[in-house]
Amino acid sequence: MRKFAIAVAAATTALVAVPAQANEGRVEARGGIAWAQGTEEAIAGVAAGYDFDLGENAFVGVEGSADKILVDGADVVWGLTGRVGAKVGDSGKLFVAGGYSFGEGEDVPHLGVGYNHKLGTNLYLTAEYRHFFSDIVDVNAATVGVGFNF
């Protein structure tokens, strides 16, 4: 499974190297809650990505992330995610996302939905839900954050 993650990372790097027109890179910090089987824990993380315009109304993007459940002994979960979405007005981006998460434990696929809303030229707020599909126990996560476009 790590070979798959390495291949996705290489493809992501190649895509980011494509010259940009109205495309944009982004970095963000986020926090929220993860839950499974009646247990809830706080999470915090960071992400960096790049969105490619598909005209006036749509975009696709790639993202690398690192998230941690804020309890002793929890490992960082690394993620590689693709997203596709619709532009909402001049300031919003509504998207669906899917990818793969990996770390010291089980490597799992994930799917989610989210929304980014620009606050001026470069600053944005983000909210996202992700579901992690595990052979052991599925996990849900909801996060909010703040990011910067460049």
Side-chain angles (χ1 to χ4, degrees):
M1 294 297 174
R2 293 207 194 273
K3 290 179 185 178
F4 173 76
I6 292 168
V8 171
T12 301
T13 301
L15 285 173
V16 171
V18 172
Q21 293 175 357
N23 306 319
E24 58 190 6
R26 58 188 171 77
V27 293
E28 66 188 44
R30 58 192 180 200
I33 189 166
W35 69 93
Q37 293 184 328
T39 300
E40 301 172 350
E41 297 292 346
I43 58 174
V46 294
Y50 201 85
D51 290 339
F52 301 88
D53 280 340
L54 297 177
E56 292 183 26
N57 299 318
F59 71 95
V60 295
V62 293
E63 175 183 284
S65 61
D67 296 286
K68 183 170 184 351
I69 294 178
L70 301 178
V71 295
D72 290 338
D75 295 320
V76 172
V77 174
W78 302 92
L80 294 171
T81 304
R83 63 190 210 159
V84 61
K87 297 175 186 174
V88 180
D90 292 334
S91 300
K93 288 183 173 181
L94 181 64
F95 60 90
V96 295
Y100 208 73
S101 297
F102 53 97
E104 292 297 316
E106 181 185 25
D107 299 343
V108 299
H110 62 262
L111 291 175
V113 296
Y115 180 75
N116 294 357
H117 192 85
K118 281 190 174 185
L119 302 173
T121 305
N122 295 68
L123 195 64
Y124 68 90
L125 297 177
T126 186
E128 188 171 353
Y129 164 80
R130 285 190 183 177
H131 183 86
F132 299 85
F133 297 90
S134 170
D135 290 336
I136 301 167
V137 60
D138 286 2
V139 176
N140 299 286
T143 58
V144 294
V146 62
F148 184 81
N149 291 317
F150 55 90

